[in-house]
Amino acid sequence: QLQLKESGGGSVQDGGSLRLSCAASQRPYSRTVMGWFRQSPGKEREFVALTRWRAGSELYADFAKGRFAISRDNPTNIMYQQMNNLTPKDTAVYYCAWASQYTSDQQAYDDWGQGAQVTVAP
């Protein structure tokens, strides 16, 4: 089965940057959409961004526009998320997930990674 693993999390100061990666165990032939979600302490998981594996077509949550950017390396089955100008509000566990539909609805995502902690100090 398809397995996903996030990496690149860590702690940064207010205004800092991090680059997350999501490695897939195999080429996602049946999963054409890759997404990032996050969950802050005491809050529900929310959508961050998504992209089509083959052709891009990125979609970002309002809070991520202009600060976060998704990219991908198709030959190695890796998806990236560059995060700039981070604030304490961005502190959360970030998850990558894959789906067969172009949607921000997390109910449509079948495969999930274990999550990567991102902590932004005030």
Side-chain angles (χ1 to χ4, degrees):
Q1 71 276 15
L2 177 64
Q3 298 183 78
L4 304 174
K5 184 178 181 180
E6 303 91 342
S7 62
S11 299
V12 298
Q13 294 184 337
D14 194 349
S17 299
L18 284 173
R19 182 186 179 224
L20 301 177
S21 64
C22 175
S25 61
Q26 63 188 56
R27 182 174 176 80
Y29 289 109
S30 62
R31 299 288 185 267
T32 61
V33 177
M34 298 70 65
W36 287 98
F37 298 81
R38 72 182 187 184
Q39 185 168 21
S40 300
K43 299 182 179 180
E44 297 182 355
R45 187 166 58 193
E46 63 181 339
F47 167 75
V48 177
L50 64 81
T51 186
R52 286 191 180 276
W53 185 247
R54 292 179 293 176
S57 301
E58 296 87 1
L59 177 66
Y60 296 92
D62 288 340
F63 66 80
K65 293 179 180 178
R67 297 193 301 129
F68 295 1
I70 283 184
S71 61
R72 63 195 186 281
D73 182 12
N74 297 65
T76 55
N77 302 325
I78 299 177
M79 175 177 67
Y80 302 95
Q81 180 168 255
Q82 179 68 40
M83 304 185 294
N84 300 322
N85 299 317
L86 291 166
T87 72
K89 189 179 179 181
D90 296 313
T91 294
V93 176
Y94 285 74
Y95 300 89
C96 67
W98 298 66
S100 300
Q101 298 174 291
Y102 191 83
T103 177
S104 61
D105 185 356
Q106 59 187 286
Q107 295 296 323
Y109 289 76
D110 299 314
D111 303 297
W112 294 80
Q114 297 299 310
Q117 178 69 50
V118 171
T119 301
V120 185

